[in-house]
């Protein structure tokens, strides 16, 4: 069986999606994947980031993790994205990178990649589902194969019940959430291995 290459790509303002990404990395490796952990570049003005202690501390915490590049997108057979919602959509830090992918998309280098995503918001109805659905729309333009967790395991119901991808309230990543992320990554690795074979 082919060893799938999985890119774990995250943006985290205060730490929730960083924790999700670390759990995703652990789960993907446990499922037999080769993994790259990458972060989206911080594009907010320094004075805004430095004006919030928690935001500044989170950015400092991830400085040793490389920023995502086009090479990472080409290298990976499958992608797992973790980021917070911003007004029901992906944050600008994520979108600004996605919007640079035109050249490699036009060369067909993103076709048949497998992808899954997760998100967080300040509250349950803060745009969690629309964020994932909207993000997947962009990926469909590339010819990406979307591998949501759906309701393929009872843990999805216990951890919020979002069939599009794990989602949680900011600051609320608990053991049920970890189990849901682990299941989502196991499914992503399995589907990716089949496509990459």
């Amino acid at each position: 069986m082919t060893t799938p290459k999985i890119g774990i790509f995250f943006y985290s303002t205060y730490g929730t999606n960083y924790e999700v990404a670390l759990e995703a990395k652990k789960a993907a490796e446990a499922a037999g994947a080769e993994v790259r952990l990458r972060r989206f570049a911080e594009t907010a003005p320094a004075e805004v980031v430095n004006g919030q202690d928690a935001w500044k501390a989170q950015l400092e915490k991830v400085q040793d993790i490389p920023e995502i590049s086009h090479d990472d997108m080409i290298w990976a057979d499958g992608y797992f994205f973790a980021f917070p919602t911003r007004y029901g959509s992906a944050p600008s830090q994520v979108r600004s990178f996605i919007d640079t992918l035109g050249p490699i998309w036009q060369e067909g280098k993103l076709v048949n990649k497998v992808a899954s995503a997760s998100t967080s918001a300040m509250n349950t109805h803060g745009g969690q589902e629309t964020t994932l659905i909207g993000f997947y729309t962009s990926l469909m333009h590339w010819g990406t194969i979307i591998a949501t967790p759906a309701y393929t395991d009872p843990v999805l119901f216990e951890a919020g019940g979002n069939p599009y991808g794990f989602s949680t309230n900011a600051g609320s990543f608990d053991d049920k959430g970890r189990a849901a992320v682990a299941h989502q990554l196991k499914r992503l690795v399995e589907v990716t291995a089949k496509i990459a074979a």
Side-chain angles (χ1 to χ4, degrees):
M1 188 171 175
T2 301
T3 299
K5 296 178 286 188
I6 302 293
I8 309 289
F9 306 140
F10 75 95
Y11 174 73
S12 192
T13 312
Y14 303 118
T16 303
N17 291 284
Y18 172 58
E19 290 181 38
V20 169
L22 293 179
E23 190 67 29
K25 179 179 184 292
K26 179 174 145 186
E29 289 172 341
E34 182 181 350
V35 176
R36 282 188 187 177
L37 178 67
R38 298 290 186 264
R39 64 184 172 95
F40 289 95
E42 181 57 78
T43 58
E47 60 269 22
V48 174
V49 176
N50 294 334
Q52 297 185 43
D53 291 342
W55 193 346
K56 180 182 177 183
Q58 176 58 36
L59 182 57
E60 290 171 352
K61 185 185 290 186
V62 298
Q63 286 304 300
D64 62 329
I65 298 172
E67 292 180 356
I68 187 173
S69 70
H70 287 195
D71 177 66
D72 297 316
M73 298 295 293
I74 295 167
W75 171 85
D77 301 311
Y79 310 133
F80 178 77
F81 297 95
F83 50 79
T85 180
R86 290 290 184 270
Y87 305 109
S89 188
S92 61
Q93 291 84 352
V94 174
R95 292 298 329 172
S96 65
F97 176 78
I98 297 298
D99 290 349
T100 71
L101 296 175
I104 61 174
W105 163 74
Q106 291 171 348
E107 293 173 10
K109 293 181 177 177
L110 302 178
V111 173
N112 292 337
K113 304 290 188 172
V114 181
S116 201
S118 68
T119 193
S120 66
M122 287 301 296
N123 58 69
T124 304
H125 301 290
Q128 295 179 16
E129 291 186 352
T130 59
T131 295
L132 295 176
I133 293 168
F135 185 70
Y136 289 148
T137 300
S138 293
L139 276 56
M140 289 178 204
H141 283 249
W142 306 341
T144 298
I145 297 161
I146 308 299
T148 68
Y151 294 121
T152 53
D153 190 278
V155 72
L156 274 300
F157 292 101
E158 296 170 14
N162 188 340
Y164 310 112
F166 172 72
S167 66
T168 189
N169 293 352
S172 299
F173 188 48
D174 58 14
D175 287 344
K176 288 180 181 177
R178 288 181 179 84
V181 169
H183 174 72
Q184 186 169 347
L185 267 294
K186 180 182 177 189
R187 177 166 158 73
L188 175 64
V189 170
E190 289 173 351
V191 173
T192 304
K194 289 176 182 178
I195 299 299

